[in-house]
Amino acid sequence: MLEQLPRPVIFAHRGASAHAPENTLPAFELAIRQNADAIELDAALCGDGQVVVFHDGSVDRTTDGQGLIKDLTLDALRELDAGSYFDESFRGVGIPTLGEVFEAVGGKTIINIEIKNYASPLDDLPEFIAKLVSHHNLADRVLFSSFNPIALNRIHKLMPDVPIGLLTVAGIGGALVRSILGGWIPHQALHPSLQNVSHKLIQNQHRRGRRVHVYTVNHPEDITRLCRWNVDGIFTDDPLLARRTIEAAQNAEDPTP
Ligand code: G3P
Ligand code: MG
């Protein structure tokens, strides 16, 4: 599936999160309208074992509620407003389940599912996600990523044909994970932090037959530099700006109409 993606592929990070509340259906639908090639979302387990699409461990920053996702039931999460923190015009927008996102946009785009079980790295989130992907028949339209190597190994055993992106943190930690765990974790793509990316890193990964998808890239000068370095993809909050910047960079390379 990765081979069929354009280069560089534009992943709308948490949806078009520069223009709509992150990880919500409006953000994903807007990303598609803005012509993003793919969306990225964060999948986590809530208090009664449902898979919800949410970034933080707590609901405090992006909703009108308080508490930890892992302690709140789906019914409790459904009461929360996850839109008005971003803009009053989004009041009433809720936290979606992964199944609801699949229903709404699964047939319209490629989905990068970040397995977000960092506080409980041994939980059954990988199994729940794999079941949902199978149930919705989306195995050839998703890729999995995580900073948690255990989750990646588990989901790879369940769905060996689905591509995997190894997420690495910024700084020395990311470099260490790459060199120490890189050979042990199955992955077809490296998902490094922008801070850690160099032309050499991209060339090295290409030599190993891997793609490089960089997070989170919002500034045109960074996008242009990564294009020059032959990056395979970027995660961006603003797919519209990214598209314009990439087109400008490509036209500058090949000015023939
Ligand atoms: O998948 C790229 C990016 O989403 C990883 O970091 O914290 O935005 O989920 P975060
Ligand atoms: Mg993420």
Side-chain angles (χ1 to χ4, degrees), residues 126-127 130 153-160:
E127 283 72 17
N153 270 309
R154 279 172 67 171
I155 207 150
H156 179 65
K157 287 200 180 101
L158 296 164
M159 307 196 88

Side-chain angles (χ1 to χ4, degrees), residues 11-14 22-23 40-42 54-56 112-116 118 145-147 165 167-168 191-193 213-216 234-237:
F11 292 93
H13 180 240
R14 311 180 198 171
E22 65 180 52
N23 279 325
E40 186 264 1
L41 56 78
D42 303 293
F54 203 78
H55 179 269
D56 295 1
N112 182 126
I113 302 164
E114 182 181 341
I115 308 170
K116 230 172 180 76
Y118 307 130
S145 67
S146 187
F147 293 100
L167 275 163
T168 56
H191 291 188
S193 159
H213 303 144
V214 181
Y215 74 94
T216 303
I234 58 165
F235 295 90
T236 181
D237 299 337

